[in-house]
């Protein structure tokens, strides 16, 4: 009877944390629920910290419109196994001071999204390139602090990069993009949108070096012309998506070969 009574009063927190709760229960809960669970008691707070120290994906998009700086730092202070990091909902306040420690202790990071993080500097991108050599996917949209020096550092150390979003990174010019194309031959997805500095030189270098390219966004690249689009058709047989909205110097004559190639593949 006593045994039965003990079984009836068994609590969730009595289960082994690292062997049962973390890998078999908490991993199925949205981060928003975990954040709320932390507030239940000191024990639950400690349990969630154990989980956060072992989680491989950190994405705050479901938590709410914003997360306090202190909460972000507390959540990630013990984590050294991240594979994916999204800074959405942190973009209006996150700086190098908060991000650099996280990057420095997570050398196995494969995916990072820093899009819209306007308060970061080139030091964060250099840190990513030096610490995260297994990086495959990187979002830098609307990060106008990205410059040639930091992009070259990324290209030198992250040759396995498969996708990068450089939308509205307006400091970048042809020299930096060409350097990236020569170093990151495995690129499958690239956005150079909303950058008036991009010319045919960049697009042709990407086409000739990144033969496995599947997606390219050139929206608003006003200096791109037909010649580079023809080069894409010649060198990138796997290209599935090409965006050239507002590229006024790109005409149907250069796009037609790409459409025919796609039609041929489907047929």
């Amino acid at each position: 009877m006593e045994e039965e009574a003990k079984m009836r009063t068994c609590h969730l927190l009595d289960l082994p944390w690292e062997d049962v709760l973390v890998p078999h229960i908490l991993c199925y809960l949205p981060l928003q629920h975990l954040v709320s669970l932390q507030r239940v008691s000191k024990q639950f707070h400690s349990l969630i910290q154990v989980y956060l120290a072992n989680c491989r994906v950190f994405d705050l998009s479901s938590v709410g419109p914003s997360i306090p700086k202190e909460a972000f730092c507390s959540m990630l202070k013990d984590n050294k196994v991240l594979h994916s990091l999204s800074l959405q909902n942190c973009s209006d306040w996150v700086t190098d001071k908060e991000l650099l420690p996280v990057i420095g202790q997570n050398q196995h990071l494969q995916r990072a999204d820093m899009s819209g993080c306007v308060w970061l500097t080139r030091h964060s991108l250099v840190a990513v390139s030096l610490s995260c050599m297994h990086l495959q996917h990187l979002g830098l949209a609307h990060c106008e602090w990205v410059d040639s020096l930091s992009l070259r550092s990324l290209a030198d150390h992250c040759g396995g990069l498969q996708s990068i979003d450089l939308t509205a990174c307006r400091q970048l010019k042809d020299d930096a993009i060409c350097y990236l194309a020569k170093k990151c031959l495995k690129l499958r997805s690239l956005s150079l949108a909303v950058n008036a500095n991009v010319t045919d030189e960049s697009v042709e270098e990407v086409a000739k070096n990144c033969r496995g390219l599947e997606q390219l966004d050139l929206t608003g690249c006003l200096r791109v012309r037909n010649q580079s689009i023809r080069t894409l058709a010649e060198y990138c047989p796997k290209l599935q998506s090409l965006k050239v909205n507002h590229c006024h110097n790109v005409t149907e004559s250069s796009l037609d070969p790409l459409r025919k190639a796609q039609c041929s593949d489907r047929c």
Side-chain angles (χ1 to χ4, degrees), residues 93-112:
W93 57 258
V94 71
T95 68
D96 295 344
K97 182 180 179 181
E98 292 80 39
L99 185 58
L100 289 177
V102 176
I103 296 300
Q105 65 190 26
N106 281 285
Q107 299 180 0
H108 299 289
L109 204 63
Q110 296 176 9
R111 181 185 296 271

Side-chain angles (χ1 to χ4, degrees), residues 138-252:
L138 181 60
L140 293 168
H142 303 282
C143 294
E144 297 199 25
W145 45 266
V146 176
D147 59 6
S148 176
L149 180 66
S150 54
L151 193 69
R152 284 171 178 264
S153 177
L154 181 74
D156 282 333
H157 297 95
C158 300
L161 205 63
Q162 295 180 22
S163 69
I164 183 168
D165 188 348
L166 297 171
T167 298
C169 292
R170 295 186 179 92
Q171 285 198 59
L172 297 177
K173 297 180 180 179
D174 284 332
D175 61 330
I177 296 165
C178 290
Y179 192 85
L180 178 75
K182 291 174 182 176
K183 293 283 186 174
C184 299
L185 308 180
K186 297 180 180 179
L187 275 178
R188 297 201 312 256
S189 177
L190 172 64
S191 176
L192 301 173
V194 200
N195 187 343
N197 295 320
V198 174
T199 73
D200 284 344
E201 183 182 354
S202 289
V203 180
E204 291 191 358
E205 205 65 51
V206 168
K208 292 175 181 177
N209 288 281
C210 307
R211 305 289 184 90
L213 196 68
E214 297 174 2
Q215 298 177 327
L216 179 62
D217 190 348
L218 299 172
T219 301
C221 294
L222 304 177
R223 299 169 67 189
V224 170
R225 300 173 181 274
N226 283 333
Q227 180 55 47
S228 61
I229 304 303
R230 294 190 183 100
T231 305
L232 281 171
E234 181 180 354
Y235 286 93
C236 298
K238 296 183 179 180
L239 192 65
Q240 299 172 5
S241 172
L242 174 64
K243 296 181 180 179
V244 289
N245 306 64
H246 309 295
C247 295
H248 304 301
N249 294 311
V250 174
T251 65
E252 284 297 320

Side-chain angles (χ1 to χ4, degrees), residues 113-159:
D113 189 357
M114 297 187 277
S115 297
C117 294
V118 296
W119 299 111
L120 295 177
T121 73
R122 68 159 71 146
H123 298 297
S124 283
L125 184 52
V126 171
V128 167
S129 65
L130 295 177
S131 298
C132 310
M133 297 185 184
H134 303 291
L135 196 69
Q136 296 179 9
H137 308 280
L138 181 60
L140 293 168
H142 303 282
C143 294
E144 297 199 25
W145 45 266
V146 176
D147 59 6
S148 176
L149 180 66
S150 54
L151 193 69
R152 284 171 178 264
S153 177
L154 181 74
D156 282 333
H157 297 95
C158 300

